[in-house]
Amino acid sequence: MTASASSALPVAVVLVDDSPVQRRFMRAAIEADNDFSVVAEARNGSEAVSLVARLRPGAVLMDLDLPVMGGIEAIERIMSSSPTPILVYSAFVGGTNSVNALEALAAGAVDVLCKPGPDDTGTLEEYATALRRKLRIASRVRVITHPRGRLRKSGMAGATPALGGGARRPLASPAAPDINPGHSNVRLVAIGASTGGPQALLTLLGQLPVDLEQAVLVVQHMAEGFIPGLASWLDGLVPMPVGVGVNGCRLQPGTVTIAPSGTNMLVQDDRLRTVCVPPEPGQFHIPGIDATFQSVASSLGSKAIGVLLTGMGRDGAVGLLAMRERGALTLGQDEATSTVYGMPAAAHEIAAVDRQLALDDIAPAVLGALGRALA
Amino acid sequence: MASLHEAFAGEVADRMPRLRAVPTARPGRELIQQARRDAHSLASSAAVVGMADVSRCARALEFRFDALLVDPSEPLPESLVDDVAELDALLLAGAASREAAVAATGPDPSPTVDRTS
Protein backbone atom coordinates (compact mmCIF):
# COMPACT_ATOMS: atom_id res chain seq x y z
CA MET A 1 0.00 0.00 0.00
CA THR A 2 1.07 3.56 -0.42
CA ALA A 3 0.11 6.81 1.19
CA SER A 4 -1.61 9.38 -0.99
CA ALA A 5 -2.07 13.12 -0.77
CA SER A 6 -0.35 14.98 2.00
CA SER A 7 -2.20 17.93 3.43
CA ALA A 8 0.91 20.15 3.51
CA LEU A 9 2.92 19.36 0.40
CA PRO A 10 1.66 19.48 -3.15
CA VAL A 11 0.77 16.13 -4.63
CA ALA A 12 3.61 14.98 -6.89
CA VAL A 13 2.22 13.98 -10.27
CA VAL A 14 3.76 12.01 -13.13
CA LEU A 15 2.32 12.69 -16.60
CA VAL A 16 2.29 9.94 -19.22
CA ASP A 17 1.53 10.74 -22.86
CA ASP A 18 3.52 10.44 -26.08
CA SER A 19 2.13 13.73 -27.38
CA PRO A 20 4.00 16.91 -26.37
CA VAL A 21 0.80 18.90 -26.92
CA GLN A 22 -1.12 16.75 -24.48
CA ARG A 23 1.68 16.80 -21.91
CA ARG A 24 1.91 20.58 -22.14
CA PHE A 25 -1.83 20.95 -21.71
CA MET A 26 -1.93 18.50 -18.80
CA ARG A 27 0.95 20.26 -17.08
CA ALA A 28 -0.64 23.69 -17.48
CA ALA A 29 -3.97 22.39 -16.25
CA ILE A 30 -2.53 20.66 -13.20
CA GLU A 31 0.02 23.26 -12.18
CA ALA A 32 -2.66 25.93 -12.23
CA ASP A 33 -3.50 24.46 -8.83
CA ASN A 34 -0.86 24.88 -6.13
CA ASP A 35 -1.92 21.60 -4.57
CA PHE A 36 -0.25 19.71 -7.42
CA SER A 37 3.28 19.60 -8.73
CA VAL A 38 4.30 17.78 -11.92
CA VAL A 39 7.54 15.98 -11.07
CA ALA A 40 8.13 14.08 -14.30
CA GLU A 41 6.82 13.33 -17.76
CA ALA A 42 6.93 9.95 -19.47
CA ARG A 43 6.41 9.37 -23.20
CA ASN A 44 5.53 5.70 -23.01
CA GLY A 45 4.36 3.03 -20.58
CA SER A 46 7.81 1.67 -19.91
CA GLU A 47 9.17 5.08 -18.89
CA ALA A 48 6.10 5.53 -16.70
CA VAL A 49 6.72 2.30 -14.80
CA SER A 50 10.35 3.25 -14.15
CA LEU A 51 9.57 6.82 -13.13
CA VAL A 52 6.81 5.82 -10.74
CA ALA A 53 9.03 3.19 -9.11
CA ARG A 54 11.81 5.74 -8.67
CA LEU A 55 9.86 8.86 -7.71
CA ARG A 56 6.88 7.35 -5.86
CA PRO A 57 4.51 10.17 -6.88
CA GLY A 58 1.16 10.82 -5.24
CA ALA A 59 -0.70 10.36 -8.53
CA VAL A 60 -0.25 9.47 -12.19
CA LEU A 61 -2.13 10.98 -15.11
CA MET A 62 -1.88 8.57 -18.02
CA ASP A 63 -2.97 8.09 -21.61
CA LEU A 64 -3.79 4.53 -22.71
CA ASP A 65 -2.62 4.56 -26.32
CA LEU A 66 1.13 4.58 -25.71
CA PRO A 67 4.14 3.34 -27.66
CA VAL A 68 6.68 0.79 -26.40
CA MET A 69 4.40 -0.37 -23.57
CA GLY A 70 0.66 0.27 -23.71
CA GLY A 71 -1.25 2.00 -20.96
CA ILE A 72 -3.08 -1.07 -19.65
CA GLU A 73 0.14 -3.02 -19.17
CA ALA A 74 1.80 0.00 -17.57
CA ILE A 75 -1.11 0.34 -15.13
CA GLU A 76 -0.87 -3.35 -14.23
CA ARG A 77 2.86 -3.10 -13.65
CA ILE A 78 2.62 0.06 -11.57
CA MET A 79 -0.18 -1.36 -9.47
CA SER A 80 1.73 -4.58 -8.84
CA SER A 81 5.03 -2.99 -7.83
CA SER A 82 4.44 0.63 -6.79
CA PRO A 83 0.70 1.07 -6.20
CA THR A 84 -0.19 4.67 -7.05
CA PRO A 85 -3.51 6.36 -7.80
CA ILE A 86 -3.79 6.50 -11.60
CA LEU A 87 -6.20 8.72 -13.49
CA VAL A 88 -6.53 7.67 -17.12
CA TYR A 89 -6.83 10.52 -19.62
CA SER A 90 -7.54 9.12 -23.05
CA ALA A 91 -9.40 9.84 -26.27
CA PHE A 92 -10.96 6.39 -26.33
CA VAL A 93 -12.67 5.78 -23.01
CA GLY A 94 -16.16 7.16 -23.61
CA GLY A 95 -19.24 5.98 -25.47
CA THR A 96 -18.57 2.96 -27.66
CA ASN A 97 -15.02 2.82 -26.33
CA SER A 98 -16.04 2.44 -22.71
CA VAL A 99 -14.63 -1.09 -22.72
CA ASN A 100 -11.18 0.57 -22.71
CA ALA A 101 -12.16 2.45 -19.59
CA LEU A 102 -13.32 -0.77 -17.96
CA GLU A 103 -10.06 -2.51 -18.85
CA ALA A 104 -8.13 0.37 -17.32
CA LEU A 105 -10.24 0.29 -14.15
CA ALA A 106 -9.89 -3.48 -13.93
CA ALA A 107 -6.13 -3.10 -14.28
CA GLY A 108 -6.18 -0.83 -11.24
CA ALA A 109 -6.73 2.74 -12.46
CA VAL A 110 -8.86 4.79 -10.08
CA ASP A 111 -10.83 6.77 -12.65
CA VAL A 112 -10.96 7.78 -16.30
CA LEU A 113 -11.50 11.03 -18.14
CA CYS A 114 -12.03 11.47 -21.87
CA LYS A 115 -9.77 13.85 -23.81
CA PRO A 116 -11.40 16.59 -25.85
CA GLY A 117 -12.46 15.61 -29.36
CA PRO A 118 -13.17 17.70 -32.48
CA ASP A 119 -16.91 17.81 -31.86
CA ASP A 120 -16.79 18.63 -28.16
CA THR A 121 -18.29 21.92 -27.17
CA GLY A 122 -16.38 22.26 -23.89
CA THR A 123 -13.57 24.79 -23.55
CA LEU A 124 -10.02 23.89 -22.62
CA GLU A 125 -10.56 25.60 -19.28
CA GLU A 126 -13.49 23.28 -18.61
CA TYR A 127 -11.34 20.25 -19.41
CA ALA A 128 -8.59 21.63 -17.19
CA THR A 129 -11.06 22.05 -14.33
CA ALA A 130 -12.35 18.51 -14.79
CA LEU A 131 -8.78 17.19 -14.83
CA ARG A 132 -7.92 18.93 -11.56
CA ARG A 133 -11.16 17.82 -9.91
CA LYS A 134 -10.71 14.17 -10.88
CA LEU A 135 -7.01 14.20 -10.04
CA ARG A 136 -7.74 15.68 -6.61
CA ILE A 137 -10.19 12.87 -5.85
CA ALA A 138 -7.93 10.19 -7.32
CA SER A 139 -4.89 11.38 -5.38
CA ARG A 140 -6.77 10.90 -2.11
CA VAL A 141 -7.46 7.25 -2.81
CA ARG A 142 -5.37 4.89 -0.78
CA VAL A 143 -4.56 2.26 -3.37
CA ILE A 144 -3.45 -1.29 -2.75
CA THR A 145 -1.31 -3.76 -4.64
CA HIS A 146 -3.47 -4.93 -7.48
CA PRO A 147 -4.49 -8.58 -7.79
CA ARG A 148 -3.97 -8.82 -11.55
CA GLY A 149 -0.46 -7.45 -11.18
CA ARG A 150 0.25 -9.81 -8.32
CA LEU A 151 -0.87 -12.77 -10.41
CA ARG A 152 1.19 -11.65 -13.38
CA LYS A 153 4.27 -11.31 -11.18
CA SER A 154 3.89 -14.79 -9.75
CA GLY A 155 3.39 -16.29 -13.20
CA MET A 156 -0.27 -17.08 -12.59
CA ALA A 157 -1.80 -14.59 -14.98
CA GLY A 158 -3.74 -17.38 -16.61
CA ALA A 159 -5.85 -17.68 -13.48
CA THR A 160 -7.54 -14.40 -14.32
CA PRO A 161 -10.08 -14.32 -17.11
CA ALA A 162 -8.60 -13.14 -20.39
CA LEU A 163 -10.25 -9.96 -21.59
CA GLY A 164 -12.70 -10.74 -24.31
CA GLY A 165 -12.28 -14.45 -23.70
CA GLY A 166 -15.90 -15.02 -22.88
CA ALA A 167 -15.42 -18.41 -21.24
CA ARG A 168 -18.37 -18.95 -18.91
CA ARG A 169 -16.49 -20.75 -16.19
CA PRO A 170 -16.00 -19.74 -12.59
CA LEU A 171 -12.54 -18.93 -11.32
CA ALA A 172 -10.97 -21.21 -8.76
CA SER A 173 -12.51 -20.29 -5.42
CA PRO A 174 -10.80 -20.00 -2.08
CA ALA A 175 -12.23 -21.81 0.90
CA ALA A 176 -15.64 -20.59 1.98
CA PRO A 177 -15.79 -18.48 5.11
CA ASP A 178 -17.86 -19.91 7.91
CA ILE A 179 -21.35 -18.78 6.94
CA ASN A 180 -24.43 -20.61 8.13
CA PRO A 181 -26.20 -22.11 5.08
CA GLY A 182 -29.59 -21.01 6.36
CA HIS A 183 -30.52 -18.79 3.44
CA SER A 184 -31.94 -21.28 0.96
CA ASN A 185 -35.04 -19.12 0.41
CA VAL A 186 -32.96 -16.25 -0.97
CA ARG A 187 -34.23 -14.88 -4.30
CA LEU A 188 -31.82 -12.02 -4.90
CA VAL A 189 -28.21 -11.04 -4.33
CA ALA A 190 -27.98 -7.23 -4.34
CA ILE A 191 -24.51 -5.73 -4.80
CA GLY A 192 -23.41 -2.10 -4.48
CA ALA A 193 -20.02 -0.75 -5.62
CA SER A 194 -18.27 2.49 -6.47
CA THR A 195 -14.57 3.39 -6.89
CA GLY A 196 -12.67 0.18 -7.63
CA GLY A 197 -15.98 -1.55 -8.30
CA PRO A 198 -15.43 -2.92 -11.81
CA GLN A 199 -12.46 -5.02 -10.75
CA ALA A 200 -14.20 -6.11 -7.53
CA LEU A 201 -17.31 -7.07 -9.50
CA LEU A 202 -15.20 -9.07 -11.91
CA THR A 203 -13.68 -11.01 -9.02
CA LEU A 204 -16.98 -11.57 -7.23
CA LEU A 205 -19.18 -12.35 -10.23
CA GLY A 206 -16.42 -14.45 -11.74
CA GLN A 207 -16.88 -16.89 -8.87
CA LEU A 208 -20.66 -17.21 -9.09
CA PRO A 209 -21.84 -20.14 -11.23
CA VAL A 210 -23.94 -19.83 -14.35
CA ASP A 211 -26.66 -22.01 -12.80
CA LEU A 212 -27.18 -19.78 -9.78
CA GLU A 213 -30.83 -20.01 -8.79
CA GLN A 214 -30.90 -16.43 -7.53
CA ALA A 215 -30.99 -13.21 -9.50
CA VAL A 216 -28.13 -10.74 -9.06
CA LEU A 217 -28.69 -6.99 -9.12
CA VAL A 218 -25.64 -4.68 -9.27
CA VAL A 219 -25.63 -0.95 -8.57
CA GLN A 220 -22.31 0.55 -9.66
CA HIS A 221 -21.65 4.28 -9.39
CA MET A 222 -20.55 5.27 -12.85
CA ALA A 223 -20.67 8.30 -15.13
CA GLU A 224 -23.48 8.52 -17.66
CA GLY A 225 -22.81 6.35 -20.68
CA PHE A 226 -20.42 3.85 -19.09
CA ILE A 227 -22.94 1.33 -17.72
CA PRO A 228 -23.59 -0.45 -21.06
CA GLY A 229 -19.83 -0.84 -21.48
CA LEU A 230 -19.55 -2.26 -17.97
CA ALA A 231 -22.29 -4.78 -18.68
CA SER A 232 -20.80 -5.80 -22.00
CA TRP A 233 -17.34 -6.11 -20.50
CA LEU A 234 -18.49 -8.23 -17.56
CA ASP A 235 -20.70 -10.32 -19.82
CA GLY A 236 -17.64 -11.47 -21.71
CA LEU A 237 -15.77 -12.41 -18.57
CA VAL A 238 -18.07 -13.93 -15.95
CA PRO A 239 -20.11 -17.15 -16.03
CA MET A 240 -23.58 -15.59 -15.80
CA PRO A 241 -25.04 -13.41 -18.54
CA VAL A 242 -24.86 -9.71 -17.67
CA GLY A 243 -27.16 -6.97 -18.96
CA VAL A 244 -28.39 -3.49 -18.17
CA GLY A 245 -31.77 -3.28 -16.48
CA VAL A 246 -34.67 -1.31 -17.92
CA ASN A 247 -37.69 0.18 -16.22
CA GLY A 248 -40.22 -2.54 -15.41
CA CYS A 249 -37.92 -5.48 -16.09
CA ARG A 250 -38.12 -8.57 -13.94
CA LEU A 251 -34.83 -9.80 -12.50
CA GLN A 252 -34.09 -13.33 -13.63
CA PRO A 253 -32.38 -16.18 -11.74
CA GLY A 254 -28.88 -16.90 -12.97
CA THR A 255 -28.63 -13.46 -14.53
CA VAL A 256 -26.76 -10.32 -13.51
CA THR A 257 -28.68 -7.09 -14.01
CA ILE A 258 -26.84 -3.79 -13.72
CA ALA A 259 -28.90 -0.78 -12.67
CA PRO A 260 -29.02 1.79 -15.49
CA SER A 261 -27.52 5.30 -15.35
CA GLY A 262 -29.43 8.40 -14.33
CA THR A 263 -32.05 6.72 -12.18
CA ASN A 264 -32.62 4.61 -9.07
CA MET A 265 -33.63 1.03 -9.76
CA LEU A 266 -36.02 -0.32 -7.14
CA VAL A 267 -37.22 -3.87 -6.57
CA GLN A 268 -41.00 -3.74 -6.22
CA ASP A 269 -41.97 -7.17 -4.93
CA ASP A 270 -40.77 -10.69 -4.30
CA ARG A 271 -41.44 -11.56 -7.94
CA LEU A 272 -38.42 -9.32 -8.57
CA ARG A 273 -40.20 -6.80 -10.72
CA THR A 274 -38.34 -3.50 -10.87
CA VAL A 275 -39.13 0.13 -11.42
CA CYS A 276 -36.76 2.96 -12.27
CA VAL A 277 -37.50 6.21 -10.43
CA PRO A 278 -35.90 9.64 -10.70
CA PRO A 279 -33.12 10.33 -8.20
CA GLU A 280 -33.93 12.31 -5.07
CA PRO A 281 -33.21 16.05 -5.24
CA GLY A 282 -29.57 16.56 -4.28
CA GLN A 283 -28.74 12.87 -4.57
CA PHE A 284 -25.00 12.76 -5.24
CA HIS A 285 -24.52 9.21 -6.48
CA ILE A 286 -26.73 8.08 -9.32
CA PRO A 287 -27.74 5.28 -9.53
CA GLY A 288 -28.11 5.20 -5.77
CA ILE A 289 -27.25 2.07 -3.79
CA ASP A 290 -29.20 3.09 -0.70
CA ALA A 291 -32.42 3.44 -2.70
CA THR A 292 -32.04 -0.01 -4.25
CA PHE A 293 -31.02 -1.72 -1.01
CA GLN A 294 -33.94 -0.15 0.86
CA SER A 295 -36.37 -1.37 -1.78
CA VAL A 296 -34.86 -4.84 -1.51
CA ALA A 297 -35.27 -4.71 2.27
CA SER A 298 -38.94 -3.78 1.91
CA SER A 299 -39.85 -6.22 -0.82
CA LEU A 300 -37.74 -9.25 0.03
CA GLY A 301 -36.75 -9.04 3.70
CA SER A 302 -34.72 -12.12 4.58
CA LYS A 303 -35.00 -13.48 1.03
CA ALA A 304 -32.04 -11.40 -0.09
CA ILE A 305 -28.31 -11.08 0.43
CA GLY A 306 -26.73 -7.63 0.39
CA VAL A 307 -23.09 -7.03 -0.54
CA LEU A 308 -21.40 -3.65 -0.27
CA LEU A 309 -18.08 -3.43 -2.11
CA THR A 310 -15.29 -0.89 -2.37
CA GLY A 311 -16.19 2.75 -2.87
CA MET A 312 -15.84 6.33 -1.74
CA GLY A 313 -18.50 7.95 0.42
CA ARG A 314 -21.34 6.37 2.39
CA ASP A 315 -23.91 5.34 -0.21
CA GLY A 316 -25.27 1.88 0.50
CA ALA A 317 -24.61 1.84 4.24
CA VAL A 318 -28.09 2.86 5.33
CA GLY A 319 -29.70 0.62 2.74
CA LEU A 320 -27.59 -2.32 3.85
CA LEU A 321 -28.64 -1.67 7.45
CA ALA A 322 -32.29 -1.76 6.36
CA MET A 323 -31.67 -5.09 4.68
CA ARG A 324 -29.99 -6.47 7.78
CA GLU A 325 -32.80 -5.26 10.01
CA ARG A 326 -35.28 -7.11 7.78
CA GLY A 327 -33.33 -10.35 8.16
CA ALA A 328 -31.11 -10.35 5.08
CA LEU A 329 -27.54 -11.59 5.25
CA THR A 330 -25.27 -8.59 4.69
CA LEU A 331 -21.62 -8.68 3.66
CA GLY A 332 -19.07 -5.88 3.37
CA GLN A 333 -15.68 -5.82 1.66
CA ASP A 334 -12.82 -5.46 4.12
CA GLU A 335 -10.33 -2.62 4.27
CA ALA A 336 -7.33 -4.60 3.07
CA THR A 337 -8.88 -5.51 -0.27
CA SER A 338 -10.93 -2.35 -0.90
CA THR A 339 -9.59 0.17 -3.39
CA VAL A 340 -11.40 2.75 -1.28
CA TYR A 341 -12.60 1.67 2.15
CA GLY A 342 -15.36 4.24 2.37
CA MET A 343 -18.80 2.74 1.79
CA PRO A 344 -18.00 -0.61 3.44
CA ALA A 345 -16.47 1.26 6.40
CA ALA A 346 -19.59 3.41 6.74
CA ALA A 347 -21.72 0.26 6.72
CA HIS A 348 -19.46 -1.42 9.26
CA GLU A 349 -19.64 1.62 11.55
CA ILE A 350 -23.43 1.53 11.77
CA ALA A 351 -23.53 -2.25 12.25
CA ALA A 352 -25.07 -2.87 8.85
CA VAL A 353 -22.63 -5.69 8.06
CA ASP A 354 -23.05 -9.27 9.26
CA ARG A 355 -19.65 -10.25 7.98
CA GLN A 356 -16.77 -8.16 6.68
CA LEU A 357 -14.73 -10.21 4.26
CA ALA A 358 -11.79 -10.07 1.87
CA LEU A 359 -12.95 -9.69 -1.71
CA ASP A 360 -11.96 -13.24 -2.63
CA ASP A 361 -14.05 -14.60 0.25
CA ILE A 362 -17.32 -12.86 -0.62
CA ALA A 363 -18.51 -15.18 -3.40
CA PRO A 364 -17.72 -18.30 -1.38
CA ALA A 365 -19.64 -16.74 1.51
CA VAL A 366 -22.64 -16.04 -0.70
CA LEU A 367 -22.58 -19.58 -2.08
CA GLY A 368 -22.09 -20.99 1.39
CA ALA A 369 -25.10 -19.10 2.67
CA LEU A 370 -27.14 -20.48 -0.22
CA GLY A 371 -26.03 -23.99 0.66
CA ARG A 372 -24.14 -24.30 -2.60
CA ALA A 373 -20.93 -26.23 -2.95
CA LEU A 374 -18.00 -24.22 -4.17
CA ALA A 375 -16.97 -24.64 -7.78
CA MET B 1 -2.65 28.73 -26.18
CA ALA B 2 0.47 29.99 -27.94
CA SER B 3 2.62 27.37 -26.24
CA LEU B 4 0.17 24.64 -27.25
CA HIS B 5 0.29 25.78 -30.88
CA GLU B 6 4.07 25.77 -30.71
CA ALA B 7 4.04 22.20 -29.40
CA PHE B 8 1.51 21.23 -32.04
CA ALA B 9 3.73 22.62 -34.82
CA GLY B 10 6.55 20.48 -33.47
CA GLU B 11 4.32 17.43 -33.40
CA VAL B 12 3.19 18.03 -36.99
CA ALA B 13 6.81 18.42 -38.08
CA ASP B 14 7.66 15.15 -36.37
CA ARG B 15 4.71 13.02 -37.49
CA MET B 16 3.64 14.27 -40.92
CA PRO B 17 6.80 13.18 -42.81
CA ARG B 18 6.14 9.61 -41.63
CA LEU B 19 2.50 9.80 -42.71
CA ARG B 20 3.44 11.24 -46.11
CA ALA B 21 5.83 8.36 -46.65
CA VAL B 22 3.28 5.66 -45.85
CA PRO B 23 1.45 5.43 -49.21
CA THR B 24 4.65 4.60 -51.04
CA ALA B 25 6.20 2.46 -48.33
CA ARG B 26 6.28 -1.32 -48.16
CA PRO B 27 3.25 -2.49 -46.17
CA GLY B 28 3.80 -4.16 -42.83
CA ARG B 29 2.39 -4.23 -39.34
CA GLU B 30 5.08 -2.01 -37.82
CA LEU B 31 4.65 0.67 -40.47
CA ILE B 32 0.87 0.74 -40.12
CA GLN B 33 0.99 0.73 -36.32
CA GLN B 34 3.32 3.72 -36.33
CA ALA B 35 1.12 5.50 -38.89
CA ARG B 36 -1.98 4.77 -36.82
CA ARG B 37 -0.25 6.18 -33.74
CA ASP B 38 0.83 9.31 -35.65
CA ALA B 39 -2.70 9.89 -36.92
CA HIS B 40 -4.13 9.20 -33.45
CA SER B 41 -1.86 11.71 -31.74
CA LEU B 42 -2.44 14.37 -34.37
CA ALA B 43 -6.20 13.90 -34.04
CA SER B 44 -6.14 14.35 -30.27
CA SER B 45 -3.65 17.21 -30.32
CA ALA B 46 -5.49 19.08 -33.06
CA ALA B 47 -8.64 18.95 -30.93
CA VAL B 48 -6.72 20.54 -28.05
CA VAL B 49 -5.54 23.46 -30.20
CA GLY B 50 -9.02 23.96 -31.65
CA MET B 51 -8.36 22.63 -35.16
CA ALA B 52 -11.51 20.55 -35.43
CA ASP B 53 -11.27 19.85 -39.17
CA VAL B 54 -7.71 18.60 -38.83
CA SER B 55 -8.74 16.49 -35.85
CA ARG B 56 -11.63 14.87 -37.74
CA CYS B 57 -9.47 14.18 -40.80
CA ALA B 58 -6.65 12.69 -38.71
CA ARG B 59 -9.14 10.57 -36.78
CA ALA B 60 -10.59 9.22 -40.03
CA LEU B 61 -7.07 8.39 -41.15
CA GLU B 62 -6.43 6.63 -37.85
CA PHE B 63 -9.52 4.47 -38.38
CA ARG B 64 -8.32 3.61 -41.90
CA PHE B 65 -5.04 2.38 -40.44
CA ASP B 66 -6.98 0.47 -37.78
CA ALA B 67 -8.81 -1.34 -40.55
CA LEU B 68 -5.57 -2.04 -42.40
CA LEU B 69 -4.12 -3.69 -39.29
CA VAL B 70 -6.54 -6.58 -39.83
CA ASP B 71 -4.23 -7.74 -42.61
CA PRO B 72 -1.07 -5.63 -42.71
CA SER B 73 0.39 -7.64 -45.59
CA GLU B 74 -2.31 -6.41 -48.00
CA PRO B 75 -1.18 -3.70 -50.44
CA LEU B 76 -1.98 -0.22 -49.15
CA PRO B 77 -4.94 1.42 -50.92
CA GLU B 78 -4.01 4.12 -53.42
CA SER B 79 -6.54 6.49 -51.85
CA LEU B 80 -4.21 6.86 -48.84
CA VAL B 81 -2.27 9.42 -50.91
CA ASP B 82 -5.39 11.60 -51.14
CA ASP B 83 -6.21 11.12 -47.44
CA VAL B 84 -2.75 12.25 -46.34
CA ALA B 85 -2.84 15.14 -48.85
CA GLU B 86 -6.17 16.28 -47.41
CA LEU B 87 -4.69 16.28 -43.91
CA ASP B 88 -1.71 18.27 -45.19
CA ALA B 89 -4.02 20.82 -46.84
CA LEU B 90 -6.09 21.22 -43.66
CA LEU B 91 -2.94 21.70 -41.60
CA LEU B 92 -1.73 24.38 -44.00
CA ALA B 93 -5.09 26.14 -43.94
CA GLY B 94 -5.18 25.95 -40.14
CA ALA B 95 -1.69 27.38 -39.84
CA ALA B 96 -2.52 30.21 -42.26
CA SER B 97 -5.70 30.98 -40.38
CA ARG B 98 -3.85 31.11 -37.08
CA GLU B 99 -1.13 33.36 -38.52
CA ALA B 100 -3.82 35.74 -39.74
CA ALA B 101 -5.48 35.74 -36.33
CA VAL B 102 -2.19 36.41 -34.54
CA ALA B 103 -1.41 39.25 -36.98
CA ALA B 104 -4.80 40.80 -36.27
CA THR B 105 -4.97 40.41 -32.50
CA GLY B 106 -1.46 39.64 -31.27
CA PRO B 107 -0.21 36.40 -29.75
CA ASP B 108 -2.34 34.51 -27.23
CA PRO B 109 -1.37 34.90 -23.62
CA SER B 110 0.46 32.00 -22.09
CA PRO B 111 0.06 29.95 -19.93
CA THR B 112 -3.46 29.05 -20.98
CA VAL B 113 -4.86 28.10 -17.62
CA ASP B 114 -5.42 30.43 -14.71
CA ARG B 115 -4.16 29.46 -11.30
CA THR B 116 -7.01 28.59 -8.98
CA SER B 117 -5.35 28.60 -5.61
Side-chain angles (χ1 to χ4, degrees):
Chain A
M1 295 185 199
T2 184
S4 57
S6 154
S7 56
L9 296 170
V11 176
V13 180
V14 168
L15 307 179
V16 190
D17 202 303
D18 62 325
S19 161
V21 174
Q22 300 289 352
R23 291 199 305 272
R24 196 168 291 194
F25 169 66
M26 292 191 288
R27 180 182 278 273
I30 291 167
E31 293 194 329
D33 187 330
N34 291 326
D35 290 343
F36 298 113
S37 170
V38 175
V39 293
E41 296 181 5
R43 291 161 300 178
N44 60 60
S46 181
E47 282 183 7
V49 174
S50 302
L51 281 171
V52 171
R54 184 158 57 86
L55 301 173
R56 292 302 184 118
V60 176
L61 183 58
M62 180 187 279
D63 189 17
L64 287 182
D65 201 328
L66 296 167
V68 184
M69 179 192 293
I72 299 291
E73 183 178 349
I75 293 168
E76 287 179 346
R77 287 179 184 269
I78 289 170
M79 296 311 291
S80 71
S81 57
S82 325
T84 308
I86 297 173
L87 172 61
V88 166
Y89 185 55
S90 169
F92 288 143
V93 290
T96 56
N97 298 298
S98 54
V99 69
N100 295 329
L102 272 304
E103 282 193 38
L105 294 171
V110 173
D111 204 352
V112 297
L113 183 64
C114 198
K115 284 179 178 174
D119 299 314
D120 290 333
T121 53
T123 65
L124 274 191
E125 187 57 48
E126 287 168 344
Y127 274 95
T129 303
L131 255 184
R132 288 191 292 270
R133 181 169 46 81
K134 289 230 175 198
L135 194 61
R136 184 180 303 280
I137 293 170
S139 67
R140 289 174 179 159
V141 171
R142 185 187 51 77
V143 291
I144 57 175
T145 303
H146 201 263
R148 196 195 287 185
R150 283 201 301 261
L151 289 168
R152 187 185 290 276
K153 272 174 82 176
S154 62
M156 293 172 62
T160 55
L163 290 171
R168 295 201 180 279
R169 285 176 312 180
L171 301 176
S173 301
D178 182 23
I179 296 275
N180 185 357
H183 301 268
S184 56
N185 64 340
V186 165
R187 308 278 315 279
L188 175 70
V189 180
I191 303 169
S194 186
T195 310
Q199 170 61 28
L201 287 169
L202 177 59
T203 301
L204 169 52
L205 298 175
Q207 293 175 288
L208 298 180
V210 69
D211 62 347
L212 195 76
E213 292 170 5
Q214 289 72 25
V216 177
L217 174 59
V218 171
V219 184
Q220 164 72 52
H221 294 158
M222 200 159 251
E224 192 86 30
F226 282 93
I227 292 291
L230 174 67
S232 152
W233 177 72
L234 285 171
D235 186 57
L237 296 173
V238 307
M240 283 188 281
V242 183
V244 181
V246 294
N247 185 30
C249 73
R250 193 172 160 191
L251 306 176
Q252 299 295 325
T255 299
V256 180
T257 302
I258 301 185
S261 304
T263 183
N264 290 332
M265 180 168 247
L266 310 184
V267 178
Q268 286 188 292
D269 54 35
D270 66 358
R271 295 175 61 204
L272 305 184
R273 286 184 304 183
T274 64
V275 61
C276 291
V277 299
E280 297 291 322
Q283 183 180 325
F284 188 68
H285 293 295
I286 305 166
I289 303 169
D290 272 330
T292 299
F293 279 5
Q294 281 165 338
S295 75
V296 172
S298 301
S299 57
L300 290 166
S302 64
K303 292 188 280 187
I305 294 175
V307 181
L308 194 56
L309 298 175
T310 172
M312 204 175 290
R314 305 184 65 85
D315 190 25
V318 170
L320 198 69
L321 180 61
M323 288 183 68
R324 189 174 189 223
E325 287 174 344
R326 297 294 297 267
L329 173 67
T330 59
L331 307 174
Q333 189 173 350
D334 70 3
E335 181 175 7
T337 62
S338 290
T339 302
V340 181
Y341 187 60
M343 297 182 335
H348 188 61
E349 283 164 11
I350 61 171
V353 180
D354 282 314
R355 294 289 300 273
Q356 187 165 246
L357 297 167
L359 178 60
D360 282 345
D361 291 335
I362 293 176
V366 168
L367 294 174
L370 298 173
R372 293 275 311 235
L374 293 171
Chain B
M1 184 57 89
S3 69
L4 290 178
H5 274 283
E6 182 189 312
F8 183 65
E11 199 164 338
V12 169
D14 178 42
R15 297 186 187 276
M16 279 309 290
R18 281 198 295 266
L19 284 174
R20 288 185 199 110
V22 167
T24 54
R26 202 166 141 220
R29 175 167 290 278
E30 204 171 312
L31 172 91
I32 297 172
Q33 275 178 334
Q34 179 61 53
R36 192 207 72 85
R37 180 169 305 288
D38 287 329
H40 170 82
S41 284
L42 286 173
S44 294
S45 299
V48 170
V49 297
M51 299 171 79
D53 290 343
V54 171
S55 180
R56 279 189 209 97
C57 183
R59 190 68 80 208
L61 198 55
E62 175 188 357
F63 292 155
R64 291 209 66 182
F65 289 124
D66 269 335
L68 290 171
L69 279 171
V70 174
D71 185 359
S73 62
E74 282 284 304
L76 296 172
E78 289 179 7
S79 57
L80 268 182
V81 178
D82 296 334
D83 295 338
V84 175
E86 185 187 351
L87 183 57
D88 250 334
L90 288 169
L91 281 165
L92 268 176
S97 156
R98 172 164 166 73
E99 277 174 22
V102 170
T105 62
D108 297 324
S110 182
T112 61
V113 181
D114 295 332
R115 296 189 82 82
T116 56
S117 57

